[in-house]
Amino acid sequence: MKVKYIQVIKNCLLLCLLAVVAGCISTKPDLAPKSLFFDSDNVLNVSFKNEGDGEVPANKGNLVIYIDGRALGGYSFSNLADQSFRTPDGSLTIRSNFRMAGSNRRIAVFIDSENEVNESNEFQNTLSRTMTPPAKNGPDFIVSNLYTDPDNKLKIVVKNIGPANSPSNLEVRMRVIVNESVAADITPTLPSLTAGGGETIITPNPPVVISPNSNVRVLLNTNHRFDEIDNTNNVREDILPGGPSIAPYSTLLSQPKIKTNIIWEGSGGIKNYPSWTASRKADLNNAILRLEKGEPQALSAPPALLSGGYISASDAWQIFIAHIAQSLWTEVHGAVAWHLVDFPDEQLAYLLDSRKLMTYQPATNRYKFNTYLMGEITAWNPRISYEVLSNLKMIKATPLETIYALTNWMRGHLIHISGSDDYTEQYGYPGPPPADKVLYPLEGKRHKTAGCWGTSGLYGAVLRSVNIPVERANINLNNGTHSRPVFPSVDRSMPHGDDVYTAFLTPSGAVIPTSKIFYTLAQMATKFISPAVDCVSGECNTIGEQASYNTGKDHLQLAYDYMADYILYQYARYGADYLNDSLRGPRIGGSVHEFVKPYFTDAERAAMVTAVETKVKEIGSGNLETGKSKVIARWDRFQQNK
């Protein structure tokens, strides 16, 4: 047994030696979606590429397409005829089955959604955009309604919402699914339906009899892709007969903890749910039922802006009840593992109180998404936020893990907006950035956030949808007051909202765990809010300078400890002296600014530079220049893929 053990060790050593002699370092693929575009027929195309150094393993990986929040199609890599994407630098464009029409369609793709492929960079496997295909003339069929007749037989209403009449005697295919079992496959012939709303009623033959409280889903397909201008809106699902029940919500709303913390501030004063009028309660019920039916909420776009950046009381109310409906829906459907009743009242306020969402101006009965309240964000549609978290698998077993997952997405995608960017051009909206246009940028745009104020707001807008309270707070740094998100239910914050995309922590190479970005609230207080200041020869940092010093040093230490790309890139791109200077203090106006003392001593910096050089050489399999090229390439690639 001892001899066999020694032989295993010798074999391992021999393999390691052969790897070194061959100049090999473990290589991995890196799959990245590169573009979404419509061809001349308005069919959606998806391009992706293997930008890593290794080959994608055979029969592993997939690609999922989401349109307007719904998973409409997927491709297993093993079934693709063209496998050229598997090799390093290989790419592929898939012409999907989806022909699209309409405006501001939310499209997302997720590569390797089941995490089967071990990649060098797992942060950029998704691509999401708001896209408007060119206008086409033709019919567009939808299943506009499902209901039962007095004998409980299913009736299906088909409507043409397109800009052109449909031809007569057009045969289509329909599948009826009841409680997840196929109840019927039929091929009805549609009469000519007039443009803009002509409809017909289909009765399956033989009849489909619906028992009480059944989940009924109907899918419609034309025989040819070009028989209609949009084939992505042909599914309808409902509870029949009578639609979904509001009963579970009534039970939830009867709990004192919930009903007393749902608060609306308006012209009638500050009122919690038990004090609402019957009309307001009915509005909330209707918002809940829209969610249950998969229908959009009352507002189909960010609210119209009034003078001074305010919005109307009517729009504010619709936005508020959409948030409450989403919060209650999340609880009733068990979409997350935590529960509203477990939060203390002060945390529930960030989920259920309108005063934590918008500010109210009593004199004019108007509302505003106030930067100082929630951050630089227009949180108008919580359902879109929920769909992003759910579809991209960011909802985890605990709130903290979910926060980390969202932060991982931010680290891979968000960019700080520049001073020259115009909000209307970037977001299609002149007010604070709509959260959906940060999550799904307009065509030709990137995931730009309005700095630390916008990122703090985005955390709040997105995490509200899964009942995680977020508070926006200030931080005083050497160059002024900035914003940071606080997560009170998990005792975490970060020093600065910009930390999620700071270059120091770029995860293009070795990944600094996202948990390292966060601090407990006690750590925040002693290290960044009221830190003990450094003094040298009677000269002391200010509180803001000390907070900046502590943040910068922590981040550089992390980059060094993990040999992350920021510190390697500094050396590879600009040289040893440049890196040495970066380890002294921040670069301001092109020159290094030391606080009362440098981040690291002369001896520490010298040792760090030497270690970085060794690491870069290792990446190059013993060749320093090759290592530099690899570090620069993967850094640049990561930034370009954002």
Side-chain angles (χ1 to χ4, degrees):
M1 181 64 71
K2 182 177 181 181
V3 172
K4 186 176 181 180
Y5 178 73
I6 292 172
Q7 186 60 47
V8 169
I9 294 176
K10 286 181 177 180
N11 289 342
C12 291
L13 290 174
L14 179 59
L15 289 172
C16 293
L17 179 61
L18 289 173
V20 171
V21 170
C24 296
I25 286 183
S26 176
T27 57
K28 296 180 180 180
D30 178 15
L31 291 165
K34 302 298 290 184
S35 66
L36 301 168
F37 63 93
F38 296 107
D39 61 22
S40 59
D41 294 316
N42 278 15
V43 175
L44 178 67
N45 286 248
V46 180
S47 294
F48 65 98
K49 186 176 183 180
N50 175 12
E51 297 186 325
D53 298 321
E55 186 172 288
V56 177
N59 301 319
K60 291 188 180 296
N62 69 316
L63 183 149
V64 183
I65 299 175
Y66 300 90
I67 297 176
D68 296 331
R70 293 184 297 126
L72 289 191
Y75 298 85
S76 172
F77 286 168
S78 62
N79 294 330
L80 296 175
D82 186 342
Q83 294 282 307
S84 58
F85 66 91
R86 291 179 52 217
T87 59
D89 211 37
S91 62
L92 183 65
T93 296
I94 294 176
R95 189 175 194 243
S96 77
N97 296 319
F98 306 124
R99 192 181 195 214
M100 299 179 64
S103 61
N104 292 322
R105 304 297 300 273
R106 300 186 310 279
I107 304 171
V109 295
F110 192 171
I111 288 182
D112 193 30
S113 65
E114 301 301 320
N115 201 27
E116 293 181 320
V117 181
N118 185 11
E119 300 179 65
S120 59
N121 171 22
E122 302 281 0
F123 283 72
Q124 295 180 316
N125 281 11
T126 65
L127 176 64
S128 53
R129 291 293 184 269
T130 298
M131 304 179 70
T132 297
K136 295 284 185 182
N137 194 42
D140 180 12
F141 303 112
I142 64 169
V143 179
S144 64
N145 194 21
L146 303 174
Y147 67 96
T148 55
D149 66 14
D151 296 322
N152 292 326
K153 296 176 182 178
L154 178 65
K155 301 287 186 177
I156 304 167
V157 181
V158 176
K159 181 180 290 189
N160 173 19
I161 62 172
N165 297 341
S166 67
S168 57
N169 300 318
L170 180 69
E171 186 179 83
V172 298
R173 291 169 287 131
M174 282 184 159
R175 169 162 287 186
V176 179
I177 300 173
V178 180
N179 296 327
E180 299 306 321
S181 295
V182 176
D185 279 312
I186 58 176
T187 55
T189 299
L190 303 182
S192 178
L193 301 179
T194 57
E199 63 182 36
T200 187
I201 299 174
I202 304 296
T203 301
N205 187 20
V208 175
V209 179
I210 305 298
S211 57
N213 298 316
S214 292
N215 182 282
V216 181
R217 183 163 70 251
V218 174
L219 300 82
L220 180 152
N221 283 294
T222 56
N223 288 323
H224 303 285
R225 180 186 293 175
F226 302 111
D227 285 342
E228 61 173 335
I229 59 174
D230 191 336
N231 63 6
T232 67
N233 55 0
N234 297 355
V235 179
R236 185 175 183 90
E237 188 168 358
D238 213 337
I239 303 295
L240 295 179
S245 171
I246 205 74
Y249 296 89
S250 299
T251 301
L252 183 59
L253 285 166
S254 69
Q255 297 186 43
K257 182 86 169 181
I258 304 302
K259 66 183 181 181
T260 59
N261 279 291
I262 296 177
I263 296 172
W264 169 251
E265 180 182 18
S267 58
I270 299 170
K271 296 184 181 295
N272 59 21
Y273 179 78
S275 302
W276 288 6
T277 63
S279 175
R280 290 209 181 278
K281 291 180 178 179
D283 285 346
L284 176 58
N285 286 348
N286 288 333
I288 290 169
L289 291 175
R290 283 193 287 268
L291 279 181
E292 290 288 341
K293 294 178 180 180
E295 297 174 350
Q297 291 295 332
L299 294 188
S300 59
L305 289 180
L306 308 175
S307 61
Y310 286 89
I311 65 176
S312 70
S314 174
D315 282 352
W317 169 250
Q318 294 297 339
I319 291 169
F320 172 66
I321 60 171
H323 277 275
I324 300 303
Q326 174 62 38
S327 185
L328 299 179
W329 182 94
T330 298
E331 179 75 24
V332 165
H333 284 267
V336 298
W338 47 98
H339 301 286
L340 288 171
V341 292
D342 295 333
F343 292 113
D345 291 349
E346 61 271 18
Q347 293 179 16
L348 272 178
Y350 291 102
L351 303 174
L352 304 178
D353 191 331
S354 71
R355 295 170 296 178
K356 297 295 187 182
L357 180 65
M358 298 169 283
T359 55
Y360 176 57
Q361 187 182 64
T364 59
N365 193 32
R366 301 184 303 178
Y367 295 78
K368 178 184 270 189
F369 282 101
N370 189 318
T371 298
Y372 290 92
L373 174 66
M374 189 175 175
E376 186 75 352
I377 204 78
T378 297
W380 71 280
N381 191 321
R383 191 63 180 182
I384 295 176
S385 295
Y386 171 79
E387 289 167 351
V388 169
L389 290 175
S390 178
N391 292 341
L392 303 188
K393 299 191 175 182
M394 290 186 269
I395 301 175
K396 303 298 183 181
T398 68
L400 186 58
E401 291 173 283
T402 302
I403 293 166
Y404 289 166
L406 175 59
T407 305
N408 285 343
W409 181 90
M410 290 179 170
R411 293 177 71 187
H413 295 85
L414 289 189
I415 300 172
H416 194 298
I417 200 165
S418 70
S420 61
D421 285 320
D422 178 82
Y423 273 28
T424 302
E425 182 182 351
Q426 172 66 32
Y427 305 110
Y429 188 68
D436 61 303
K437 298 306 188 299
V438 181
L439 300 169
Y440 294 90
L442 296 172
E443 288 183 78
K445 305 301 179 184
R446 303 173 78 185
H447 296 274
K448 289 190 176 180
T449 174
C452 56
W453 299 85
T455 303
S456 299
L458 186 65
Y459 268 118
V462 173
L463 292 176
R464 274 181 91 114
S465 72
V466 288
N467 291 338
I468 298 176
V470 181
E471 176 186 0
R472 196 213 61 78
N474 292 339
I475 181 75
N476 292 317
L477 300 175
N478 66 302
N479 59 348
T481 301
H482 295 260
S483 180
R484 62 187 174 93
V486 180
F487 309 95
S489 68
V490 295
D491 186 30
R492 292 293 188 278
S493 182
M494 59 179 67
H496 188 191
D498 285 343
D499 289 347
V500 299
Y501 39 77
T502 179
F504 288 54
L505 307 177
T506 297
S508 56
V511 176
I512 300 166
T514 290
S515 60
K516 300 293 185 180
I517 299 175
F518 292 84
Y519 296 81
T520 67
L521 303 187
Q523 290 170 331
M524 283 294 306
T526 58
K527 200 163 192 175
F528 306 107
I529 308 303
S530 303
V533 298
D534 292 333
C535 295
V536 176
S537 301
E539 183 181 355
C540 300
N541 286 330
T542 65
I543 294 292
E545 288 172 336
Q546 191 65 48
S548 293
Y549 175 89
N550 291 347
T551 301
K553 184 172 182 179
D554 276 8
H555 287 175
L556 281 168
Q557 186 67 59
L558 283 170
Y560 177 73
D561 290 344
Y562 286 89
M563 282 294 160
D565 267 3
Y566 173 77
I567 205 164
L568 304 183
Y569 180 83
Q570 295 272 298
Y571 174 87
R573 176 73 80 179
Y574 304 112
D577 290 344
Y578 189 94
L579 173 57
N580 187 291
D581 282 342
S582 296
L583 297 172
R584 288 169 43 215
R587 294 180 181 275
I588 301 174
S591 60
V592 174
H593 167 78
E594 284 190 15
F595 296 100
V596 295
K597 64 180 184 181
Y599 288 137
F600 302 98
T601 66
D602 292 350
E604 288 171 332
R605 296 199 306 275
M608 293 168 81
V609 171
T610 298
V612 167
E613 180 177 288
T614 300
K615 182 64 178 178
V616 173
K617 189 174 183 180
E618 177 190 327
I619 290 171
S621 300
N623 186 299
L624 185 61
E625 294 307 313
T626 300
K628 288 180 181 180
S629 297
K630 287 188 174 182
V631 169
I632 292 169
R634 71 190 186 191
W635 172 280
D636 290 345
R637 185 168 66 240
F638 185 86
Q639 303 303 330
Q640 291 163 4
N641 284 339
K642 278 194 168 188

